[in-house]
Amino acid sequence: MYGIGIAKGMLVTIKHLFRRTFTVQYPEERLKVYPRYRGQEFVWYEERCTGCATCAKYCPLGIIKIVTHPVGNPAEGFDYYVDVFDIEIARCMFCGLCVEACPYDALFMGTHYEMASYTRQKLVINVDQLKKAKKQPSAFMRPHLLDVKYEEDTSLTPERAGRMWQGRWAGGEKPAPQAPKTEE
Amino acid sequence: MAFRTEPITVNFGPQHPSTHGVFRMRVTFDGEVIVDMEPVFGYLHRGSEKLAEERTYTQVITLTDRLDYVASMSNNLAYVLAVEKLCGINPPERAQYIRVIMAELVRIASHLMGLGFLLNDLGAFATPLMYMFREREKIMDLFEMVCGARITFSYMRIGGVAEDLPPEFYPAMTRFLKEMPGYIDEYEALLRENEILLARTKNVGILQPDKAINGSVSGPNLRGSGVPWDLRRADPYEIYDRFEFDLPLGKVGDTYDRFLVRLEEMRQSVRILNQAMEQIPKGPVRASVPMLVRPPIGDAYAHVEAPKGELGFYVVSDNSIAPYRCKIRSPSFINLTVLRDMVLGWKLADMIVIFGSLDVNMGEVDR
Amino acid sequence: MDWVYDLFPKLHAAIEGWLRSILPPSIESAGVYIVMGVLSAFLLINVPLILVMVLIYMERRLLGRFQHRLGPNRVGWQGTLQVIADGIKLLTKEDIIPANVDRWVYNLAPVLFAIPVLLVFAVVPFGEEIYLTDLNIGILYIVALTATSTIFVFMAGWASNNKYSLIGAMRSVAQLISYEVPLVLSIVGVVLVVGSLSMREIVDKQSIPFILLQPLGFLVFIVAVSAELNRSPFDLLEAESELVTGYHIEYSGMKFGMFYLVEYIAGLAYSAVITTLFLGGWKGPILPQYVWFVAKVLLVFAVLIWIRATLPRVRIDQIMGFAWKFLFPLALINIFITALEVLLWPEGFPAWLVVVNLGVALGLLVVMQVLFRFPGATRHVVPQALVGRG
């Protein structure tokens, strides 16, 4: 008989009338952000960074710009002071390769997603912003941060954010003695 | 008195609600009947293959995300397999399981989207689409747990995957696997027996098996025509030979069969996922591969059964850090070649449905 | 609380009395006639417009819930002011007139489109005493008026100078005219039972709602109505996934708003007609008559929304086949059966006839399954002369 298939479909739709909707009312309620979320702002620890620019080298788009100058005693080997650390997130695709590449756990993905702005110029994160920003790093490529819960104003210290090199490979069975090395 | 009639040519697209991206069809109608159709594409061309020659092997992974952007995991997998073949790397077993889990999850997500938009093209005013996006959102949540992104995953790495599954993944996955069959039943109840849907899709846009094979069509479109060809069976890459699953096959090769095949494939994917979650061993997820790989001189072709069909990467190495050539065999592009043959003689509304039933992704067609 | 029940007649009497007291005797009757006429016309145009706002809000919210989402809920309490916000947005939008359109026809179409549907409300009885006029050809008048909307749809589609809108307009001519036939024929059943075309009398005669006595007629009528209203599954004129929006693709701003509005006014008008013909009009216990009427109208519209939320669209040849091969015979059979029943029981129908009619309707659906198939695969042979000419 005509209409049975139609009636079945109409039953399905009327059932949904009485179910709770799955809409998330954005500004009031937010989706849960998972620990590994690759957030929009980057977290950078000045204390941990050596200015090696591995992150800039690994970026597929080359949007990280680093300028350093040597400080300290040449006889003991230079330290590098980071003058410029520009991340142009307007072009960033948040693949996280820079974070994966960082050998000293100095660069992290962020945990936030609200960085909309009206001009492209504002979408460049510079070194001052990175220094001043709240430090709430994401657990992406940093397994030791998986269980960290952030409150509104928590800021992770550089000691807590870093980790031993032995924990580098997930599962911990293949300890890598060093950070992956470039061949150049 | 005879009327003087003449055919009219209409441009469907590149901006049109049902061209699934920026596809353009120059269609000539005689009344409502299509007498000629010329597909025009290239509006989304980004030069992925050329860009790949300027990137290191690891960086190319981020480019593959943007081919079929509703099923990025499969793209990652195909590319990574090709490079592994080139270098002779064997990823750890756990990594292979994780890859299969991701590929099957993304197959469900892609089929959900393909079916939803097919039904939307049929005019079922977004209702099935909304239901299907609801489930797709759950899959996206799973992906976010695993790799931190919802669309462009960049999850696979040469020699494994980026990271192990997080602890919160397991309960969420179990819940998803328990709920999903019920939802698939719901989609079936919603429209499978609907008289209008049957009238619109049965015997419409028949793709004969011989034509499909000659046209090099692959994926659910080929299986909808009744050809039992699935790379997971025919050339079991990774560990697909360890799983039990059926190949849903169509009988006639019409739009309805392709619809059913996709619906059934989601069920089979759930089945594979259930087995994979049971079998998954413990262990490392990444072989010791440097981030800058330098494969030996040579070439390799690897293909996977992506949700849209056979996705292949042909990578040529000249022993530098970037591929010398990276050719992408994208299923959507090749499936489109039979479109003209399929729509000639059908009506305007049928053309939209036939195009929708091919489930083409423009990001992959134009690369 | 008695005043609630006969609010409108009392209001009418009070205004008329007040007018008679202030007007000089020489122009009294003419003055009262004109003033009351203008007042009624004002009410009859604006009450539907307010109801239309309710309908649009209802449609968007209900569609949302059917699709498992919320629908508009930001502007005002629970999104109640969304329609007004949309209206303001449409009014302030730039009015784009594309080059090479037929300016007169293009600008006139949305305005003329609104007239016939608004005129329908003249004969709709909102209550026993609440109607503008009781034409003795009431239902015929409604059918005649709404049939004209084809012309305005075609005007819009033709004048836009756009191929999508032209195809939409062509479809509209084919579809709307075909569906007039089963629409009118299914009304005949009701008219046979009542013995009058007047809307008031149709309601008066319904001791039980005609949906029970005329299930077949109701089925044909509601299908034909959703085709006339261009609502899913028959929304071929605007088929979003095929023709983008069909005949009003080139309209923007308030001209588009007019088309949108008129569609919903037509929805309201036809819901009112269905209520009058099949659901017993204003009749109902306890509540005032006009409340019952509006409630029934909203219920009918909710069913139309429900259908829209579920069904896919049919194709153009299927829609024509459906009208002529499915609905048309059913409407004829319905007339035949009704006429037989009227002959057998001229004094009034026994109650068990309800069950019989329902059984006949269901039986006919089974029979039609065998007799009528949706034209499924109709691949045309493309003349070689045409291939490659594009």
Side-chain angles (χ1 to χ4, degrees):
Chain A
M1 194 177 107
Y2 273 134
I4 290 180
I6 291 176
K8 265 188 191 171
M10 297 201 38
L11 267 180
V12 174
T13 35
I14 196 107
K15 251 188 254 163
H16 280 87
L17 196 58
F18 305 105
R19 284 193 196 162
R20 250 188 92 241
T21 54
F22 67 108
T23 313
V24 178
Q25 298 273 305
Y26 164 57
E28 291 92 31
E29 39 177 330
R30 278 139 200 271
L31 280 176
K32 191 188 163 208
V33 169
Y34 294 98
R36 272 185 196 163
Y37 180 70
R38 298 186 217 147
Q40 256 192 327
E41 89 287 18
F42 287 84
V43 177
W44 176 66
Y45 286 99
E46 193 188 1
E47 299 87 341
R48 300 188 70 92
C49 184
T50 60
C52 68
T54 314
C55 47
K57 219 175 275 173
Y58 275 104
C59 179
L61 300 168
I63 58 167
I64 303 177
K65 182 184 176 190
I66 297 181
V67 178
T68 55
H69 72 259
V71 289
N73 185 1
E76 294 163 11
F78 289 116
D79 274 346
Y80 286 93
Y81 181 79
V82 179
D83 298 315
V84 178
F85 198 118
D86 282 354
I87 307 175
E88 193 186 346
I89 60 165
R91 286 169 61 206
C92 181
M93 52 188 186
F94 306 99
C95 59
L97 282 181
C98 51
V99 176
E100 187 179 350
C102 180
Y104 302 104
D105 281 13
L107 189 65
F108 298 81
M109 301 302 289
T111 42
H112 295 272
Y113 48 86
E114 285 155 325
M115 281 194 74
S117 92
Y118 286 103
T119 56
R120 284 179 175 230
Q121 281 71 34
K122 283 184 191 157
L123 287 175
V124 179
I125 308 181
N126 58 33
V127 70
D128 294 328
Q129 278 169 293
L130 282 170
K131 277 179 191 167
K132 265 183 266 163
K134 248 185 311 187
K135 307 271 197 273
Q136 298 192 343
S138 145
F140 178 72
M141 284 292 163
R142 306 280 186 265
H144 60 290
L145 293 178
L146 262 180
D147 49 353
V148 179
K149 297 268 183 297
Y150 294 115
E151 295 299 319
E152 183 62 29
D153 50 353
T154 40
S155 233
L156 235 54
T157 56
E159 290 79 26
R160 175 73 182 84
R163 105 201 109 159
M164 302 298 290
W165 301 122
Q166 272 70 20
R168 176 79 189 165
W169 299 99
E173 286 175 23
K174 267 194 186 165
Q178 300 264 298
K181 273 210 176 115
T182 66
E183 296 186 17
E184 281 140 317
Chain B
M1 188 191 120
F3 287 110
R4 195 178 65 86
T5 63
E6 56 181 81
I8 56 169
T9 304
V10 183
N11 268 310
F12 274 84
Q15 310 294 331
H16 187 278
S18 51
T19 49
H20 298 214
V22 280
F23 183 54
R24 179 171 150 221
M25 293 180 269
R26 256 165 56 97
V27 193
T28 310
F29 290 111
D30 180 20
E32 287 250 348
V33 180
I34 297 159
V35 295
D36 197 10
M37 199 279 277
E38 182 193 350
V40 185
F41 37 76
Y43 293 96
L44 204 59
H45 181 69
R46 292 145 301 175
S48 298
E49 291 179 3
K50 193 71 194 167
L51 282 172
E53 295 168 16
E54 306 284 320
R55 302 276 187 281
T56 66
Y57 281 93
T58 311
Q59 286 171 350
V60 174
I61 293 170
T62 60
L63 290 177
T64 63
D65 281 340
R66 282 143 185 88
L67 298 176
D68 181 356
Y69 40 77
V70 296
S72 308
M73 284 288 186
S74 297
N75 308 340
N76 286 354
L77 178 59
Y79 170 72
V80 163
L81 279 178
V83 179
E84 279 169 6
K85 215 170 177 180
L86 200 57
C87 311
I89 299 168
N90 267 328
E93 204 180 350
R94 184 177 172 82
Q96 297 197 357
Y97 271 97
I98 294 177
R99 284 178 181 183
V100 167
I101 289 170
M102 292 303 140
E104 292 305 314
L105 272 179
V106 97
R107 187 186 315 280
I108 297 177
S110 169
H111 281 348
L112 282 174
M113 213 159 151
L115 286 180
F117 278 110
L118 167 63
L119 295 172
N120 203 33
D121 289 349
L122 275 164
F125 196 72
T127 312
L129 186 67
M130 284 289 160
Y131 295 172
M132 285 167 181
F133 263 63
R134 178 185 60 195
E135 272 71 69
R136 190 169 177 271
E137 196 65 15
K138 286 169 190 155
I139 301 177
M140 296 288 116
D141 274 352
L142 290 175
F143 285 145
E144 192 190 324
M145 284 175 205
V146 173
C147 68
R150 298 174 79 88
I151 304 286
T152 50
F153 310 115
S154 304
Y155 179 56
M156 314 271 176
R157 292 287 187 275
I158 296 154
V161 293
E163 281 182 287
D164 202 354
L165 302 173
E168 74 245 26
F169 178 79
Y170 299 97
M173 183 74 178
T174 318
R175 206 173 59 241
F176 171 76
L177 288 178
K178 218 163 77 191
E179 286 172 358
M180 193 61 204
Y183 285 126
I184 300 174
D185 290 344
E186 200 176 276
Y187 309 144
E188 280 208 62
L190 179 64
L191 281 173
R192 182 179 171 163
E193 289 168 39
N194 190 301
E195 281 83 356
I196 299 175
L197 183 102
L198 290 179
R200 280 298 299 281
T201 54
K202 275 239 162 165
N203 292 328
V204 168
I206 295 179
L207 179 64
Q208 285 89 0
D210 55 330
K211 248 184 201 165
I213 292 170
N214 283 346
S216 197
V217 174
S218 54
N221 299 327
L222 183 67
R223 291 192 286 280
S225 299
V227 184
W229 177 260
D230 188 323
L231 286 175
R232 293 175 290 175
R233 273 283 168 75
D235 176 20
Y237 52 95
E238 296 283 24
I239 44 163
Y240 270 110
D241 44 356
R242 299 186 195 175
F243 302 118
E244 230 177 79
F245 61 97
D246 299 331
L247 286 191
L249 293 179
K251 289 189 188 71
V252 197
D254 54 5
T255 309
Y256 187 62
D257 277 351
R258 288 192 282 275
F259 168 74
L260 288 189
V261 163
R262 291 215 168 78
L263 211 55
E264 190 55 35
E265 263 189 20
M266 289 200 285
R267 287 217 175 86
Q268 298 303 330
S269 287
V270 172
R271 221 171 124 194
I272 295 176
L273 283 171
N274 272 321
Q275 295 171 40
M277 288 307 282
E278 268 174 28
Q279 295 175 10
I280 186 165
K282 288 217 162 13
V285 294
R286 214 169 156 174
S288 186
V289 178
M291 274 193 87
L292 265 182
V293 282
R294 213 183 263 276
I297 295 176
D299 56 347
Y301 177 77
H303 51 190
V304 300
E305 182 71 25
K308 310 267 182 338
E310 177 185 342
L311 173 69
F313 276 79
Y314 177 66
V315 184
V316 184
S317 158
D318 57 353
N319 197 15
S320 70
I321 55 168
Y324 176 75
R325 174 84 172 93
C326 180
K327 165 84 180 89
I328 303 159
R329 185 234 189 253
S330 67
S332 298
F333 176 65
I334 289 163
N335 289 353
L336 259 188
T337 51
V338 288
L339 180 65
R340 181 176 185 275
D341 220 35
M342 284 165 82
V343 299
L344 283 194
W346 292 101
K347 295 203 169 59
L348 158 62
D350 292 327
M351 178 185 77
I352 303 288
V353 174
I354 293 169
F355 178 65
S357 78
L358 282 180
D359 190 15
V360 167
N361 185 300
M362 291 319 285
E364 204 172 37
V365 172
D366 295 336
R367 303 199 285 286
Chain C
M1 287 296 286
D2 278 349
W3 60 271
V4 177
Y5 289 93
D6 41 9
L7 174 66
F8 286 94
K10 280 213 176 125
L11 211 61
H12 185 273
I15 295 173
E16 194 179 331
W18 176 72
L19 275 177
R20 282 190 196 284
S21 66
I22 57 162
L23 287 174
S26 55
I27 58 162
E28 188 184 298
S29 57
V32 167
Y33 183 76
I34 289 169
V35 173
M36 292 313 291
V38 168
L39 266 181
S40 315
F42 180 80
L43 265 184
L44 268 183
I45 287 174
N46 284 287
V47 168
L49 283 178
I50 289 165
L51 277 179
V52 157
M53 279 169 46
V54 177
L55 287 197
I56 294 176
Y57 174 69
M58 195 171 92
E59 163 133 38
R60 297 186 61 179
R61 283 310 293 257
L62 267 183
L63 259 185
R65 292 310 304 255
F66 278 128
Q67 296 176 351
H68 215 179
R69 56 187 175 85
L70 283 171
N73 67 341
R74 291 278 153 177
V75 191
W77 180 79
Q78 287 291 309
T80 32
L81 297 180
Q82 182 69 45
V83 187
I84 295 170
D86 285 349
I88 293 171
K89 173 229 171 196
L90 282 176
L91 278 170
T92 50
K93 258 184 100 162
E94 187 190 356
D95 179 32
I96 300 167
I97 301 179
N100 299 330
V101 297
D102 192 338
R103 272 180 183 252
W104 270 96
V105 184
Y106 178 84
N107 288 328
L108 267 180
V111 183
L112 294 180
F113 196 34
I115 295 170
V117 267
L118 280 173
L119 283 177
V120 167
F121 291 97
V123 294
V124 171
F126 291 87
E128 206 170 352
E129 305 281 328
I130 316 167
Y131 54 87
L132 182 65
T133 172
D134 181 22
L135 284 181
N136 55 1
I137 52 156
I139 188 70
L140 198 61
Y141 164 81
I142 290 175
V143 170
L145 273 178
T146 49
T148 56
S149 71
T150 318
I151 300 171
F152 309 122
V153 169
F154 191 75
M155 275 168 74
W158 174 262
S160 297
N161 192 19
N162 181 308
K163 284 167 185 168
Y164 288 123
S165 66
L166 185 64
I167 297 174
M170 291 299 190
R171 282 176 170 188
S172 86
V173 175
Q175 177 188 333
L176 295 184
I177 290 177
S178 305
Y179 273 83
E180 285 294 328
V181 179
L183 184 82
V184 175
L185 287 181
S186 59
I187 293 172
V188 172
V190 174
V191 173
L192 272 176
V193 177
V194 177
S196 164
L197 288 167
S198 149
M199 298 283 272
R200 261 203 71 196
E201 248 176 76
I202 289 174
V203 180
D204 267 341
K205 287 271 171 67
Q206 292 188 45
S207 48
I208 47 170
F210 280 158
I211 182 174
L212 296 174
L213 273 177
Q214 296 268 331
L216 200 56
F218 176 73
L219 190 78
V220 175
F221 191 73
I222 200 162
V223 172
V225 158
S226 39
E228 286 281 311
L229 289 174
N230 319 328
R231 288 186 67 86
S232 175
F234 305 106
D235 54 346
L236 284 144
L237 321 193
E238 22 197 295
E240 200 247 345
S241 59
E242 295 153 26
L243 299 179
V244 196
T245 52
Y247 63 91
H248 55 65
I249 186 172
E250 290 286 4
Y251 286 90
S252 67
M254 203 49 211
K255 281 179 197 154
F256 163 74
M258 284 298 281
F259 280 112
Y260 191 74
L261 204 62
V262 170
E263 256 169 46
Y264 280 90
I265 300 174
L268 182 71
Y270 269 116
S271 301
V273 172
I274 291 175
T275 309
T276 312
L277 290 182
F278 292 101
L279 296 180
W282 67 75
K283 286 188 176 169
I286 305 167
L287 292 171
Q289 287 166 348
Y290 49 89
V291 175
W292 267 111
F293 188 83
V294 171
K296 283 176 181 173
V297 167
L298 293 183
L299 184 76
V300 170
F301 200 73
V303 172
L304 288 178
I305 295 170
W306 184 17
I307 292 173
R308 184 182 176 196
T310 315
L311 296 185
R313 189 181 302 121
V314 294
R315 209 173 48 210
I316 183 72
D317 55 327
Q318 289 166 346
I319 206 175
M320 304 298 284
F322 192 65
W324 291 106
K325 296 182 203 158
F326 187 87
L327 294 179
F328 183 59
L330 278 189
L332 284 182
I333 292 169
N334 181 46
I335 292 175
F336 178 73
I337 293 172
T338 315
L340 210 66
E341 285 169 0
V342 171
L343 268 181
L344 287 176
W345 296 280
E347 296 305 314
F349 296 135
W352 51 265
L353 212 57
V354 172
V355 185
V356 173
N357 277 350
L358 205 65
V360 168
L362 290 180
L364 276 172
L365 281 181
V366 176
V367 173
M368 286 315 274
Q369 168 111 38
V370 184
L371 290 181
F372 171 76
R373 295 233 162 264
F374 272 115
T378 45
R379 185 166 194 171
H380 294 254
V381 180
V382 178
Q384 277 305 309
L386 289 176
V387 174
R389 265 192 54 181

